Amino acid sequence: MADTLKTLKCPACGKDMEKVFIPSEGINLDICTDGCGGIYFDNREFENFDEKNEDISRILEKIEGKEFIKVDEKQNRVCPNCGANMVKNCSSVKQTIQIDECYSCGGKFLDKDELVKIREEYDTAEERDEDILRFVYKQVGHDLAELEKRHSEIVPHRTIVRKLFYKITGL
């Protein structure tokens, strides 16, 4: 979905969100600078800011030194872009940070400080991917190994399951 130009209402506190232009990405982020400090990312914008090596200085400038109101992070949120109910999901397999996502338009809302916390979880995207693979293997490892064994008897070349199996087990 394209970057919205309309003024959005913060899904956490109801205040108008400020459009903050990020020149390096050519996009506007919606930041609740006069309310709770939350950030709304239109579809696919978040992936430009979730790693340590990506520049968030403009975002930090907008919230630095401000006092923000406290909000109930457990409350259900409505997407400020499309009006659909947002869903609470964990930001990673570590399941320590919960963010709000819109399944309708793909937007994401992060409460104050969640972006910084998410960026501290992993050093690189590769490290995050490795953690996902370990999590998947831990959850379905036995079933996956059995499936791989049966599948390799039928199709001896490397399949996606086999690639995943070798990646996880290091064989």
Side-chain angles (χ1 to χ4, degrees):
M1 177 162 285
D3 199 9
T4 181
L5 299 178
K6 66 183 178 182
T7 300
L8 301 181
K9 294 279 185 194
C10 178
C13 71
K15 301 268 188 181
D16 283 347
M17 299 184 85
E18 180 182 344
K19 296 279 183 205
V20 177
F21 184 67
I22 310 296
S24 61
E25 302 300 326
I27 59 175
N28 287 304
L29 289 183
D30 299 277
I31 304 176
C32 188
T33 57
D34 293 324
C36 66
I39 306 169
Y40 178 78
F41 297 89
D42 288 318
N43 188 18
R44 297 196 177 111
E45 289 178 344
F46 179 68
E47 62 197 32
N48 297 314
F49 303 98
D50 64 339
E51 292 182 33
K52 286 182 181 181
N53 65 327
E54 295 165 333
D55 184 18
I56 62 168
S57 59
R58 185 85 173 104
I59 298 168
L60 296 177
E61 284 172 15
K62 290 308 255 180
I63 60 173
E64 189 175 338
K66 290 193 173 201
E67 292 290 323
F68 293 105
I69 61 174
K70 293 196 184 280
V71 295
D72 180 3
E73 294 181 11
K74 302 286 186 218
Q75 80 182 40
N76 290 328
R77 309 262 168 85
V78 174
C79 180
N81 187 41
C82 73
N85 288 330
M86 298 184 91
V87 177
K88 298 210 179 287
N89 284 318
C90 292
S91 64
S92 73
V93 296
K94 291 182 179 185
Q95 300 181 3
T96 56
I97 304 164
Q98 209 174 52
I99 64 173
D100 298 281
E101 295 184 83
C102 179
Y103 288 172
S104 180
C105 71
K108 293 180 184 350
F109 179 79
L110 277 59
D111 289 299
K112 182 184 173 298
D113 298 328
E114 286 181 338
L115 178 60
V116 172
K117 291 175 186 175
I118 289 169
R119 291 165 54 93
E120 291 171 351
E121 283 188 306
Y122 299 97
D123 288 328
T124 64
E126 291 77 22
E127 187 180 310
R128 182 181 299 270
D129 292 347
E130 291 287 328
D131 207 22
I132 292 168
L133 288 173
R134 278 191 294 278
F135 178 79
V136 168
Y137 185 71
K138 184 178 177 183
Q139 297 298 314
V140 296
H142 177 70
D143 295 337
L144 186 61
E146 185 59 35
L147 177 66
E148 174 60 23
K149 180 181 174 199
R150 283 185 280 143
H151 193 269
S152 66
E153 294 168 0
I154 300 167
V155 182
H157 64 286
R158 284 191 168 204
T159 63
I160 189 66
V161 173
R162 181 168 269 202
K163 287 178 186 176
L164 178 62
F165 179 77
Y166 283 116
K167 180 75 171 168
I168 293 168
T169 61
L171 296 175

